Amino acid sequence: MKAYVFPGQGAQFTGMGKDLYENSSLAKELFEKANDILGFRITDIMFEGTAEELKETKVTQPAVFLHSVILAKTLGQDFKPEMVAGHSLGEFSALVANGALSFEDGLKLVSQRALAMQKACEIKPSTMAAVLGLADNIVEDVCASIDGIVVAANYNCPGQLVISGETSAVEKACEAMKAAGAKRALLLPVGGAFHSPMMEPAREELAAAIEATTFSAPICPVYQNVTASAVSDADEIKKNLIIQLTAPVKWTQSVQQMIKDGATLFTEVGPGKVLAGLIGKIDKEAVTANA
């Protein structure tokens, strides 16, 4: 079975999508439509902007989404997903690719999500950190032992977890992780504590936007971050998408479930090769490709 996976924030790079724009009339049309919807020329920043400009949250999330979704649409008849999944932001790309969301609605939601997350980040100092070389349950136990808000946020692959929360609590957790035997525990250059309770204000704001958006029955199941299982019901997809902002990304568990359910080839659609790398670490037998 063909599985298509879509990357999240952090996969962006200067010049992303430029070749698509220049070599496909469909891609050019969709990029220009995106400029109109967003009210600024995101293509200028994607194609010619600096890494700093691309790192702005209001730019990063729509940019990664656009690269992924437009690349999928230019594959034409070759694009026949039997299952899809996306890492964090990538879940929105996956939902457009499997027909649950229209291109326009997906982009509007991603833009609203980015702005809501940015606002939530400004309320209280918060951050994320990568923890390498510890079992999931030890990371969870250490987080639970820390005074303050810090939780396991991204289960990326065995031995690679990201924790998220109040800056002081994350810093304390990093020291405790090293004491517990972690190879590394290092703060990440992010704007705030994504996929943690710190995102509650953003979740409330995004919930209203998602509730007001029409979702259709998808052409294939989406393995959602929150459940790590196949979901095809439009109402359930919406519910899980709202929870996603404050809940962990169960990427390891999602990939394992997709393999159990018959995935034989994982194709990464979008900038970079981060997910293909993670999938190879989750299951050494997994076959991966890039669109």
Side-chain angles (χ1 to χ4, degrees), residues 202-214:
R203 189 196 66 77
E204 289 171 12
E205 196 173 318
L206 191 65
I210 288 172
E211 292 294 358
T213 301
T214 302

Side-chain angles (χ1 to χ4, degrees), residues 69-119:
V69 168
I70 292 174
L71 177 55
K73 288 191 180 290
T74 60
L75 298 175
Q77 291 303 305
D78 292 336
F79 184 71
K80 292 195 173 79
E82 291 167 278
M83 48 175 80
V84 296
H87 191 289
S88 187
L89 154 75
E91 193 159 281
F92 287 82
S93 311
L95 291 171
V96 173
N98 79 351
L101 266 177
S102 71
F103 172 78
E104 293 83 355
D105 284 342
L107 178 57
K108 285 174 191 166
L109 284 179
V110 164
S111 179
Q112 285 170 295
R113 179 182 190 264
L115 296 171
M117 287 169 79
Q118 183 65 45
K119 270 194 268 182

Side-chain angles (χ1 to χ4, degrees), residues 127-164:
T127 192
M128 303 176 83
V131 179
L132 306 182
L134 276 186
D136 294 359
N137 63 315
I138 296 175
V139 174
E140 291 161 357
D141 289 347
V142 170
C143 286
S145 75
I146 301 291
D147 195 22
I149 296 171
V150 57
V151 295
N154 295 353
Y155 293 80
N156 285 335
C157 67
Q160 187 189 321
L161 260 76
V162 174
I163 60 172
S164 181

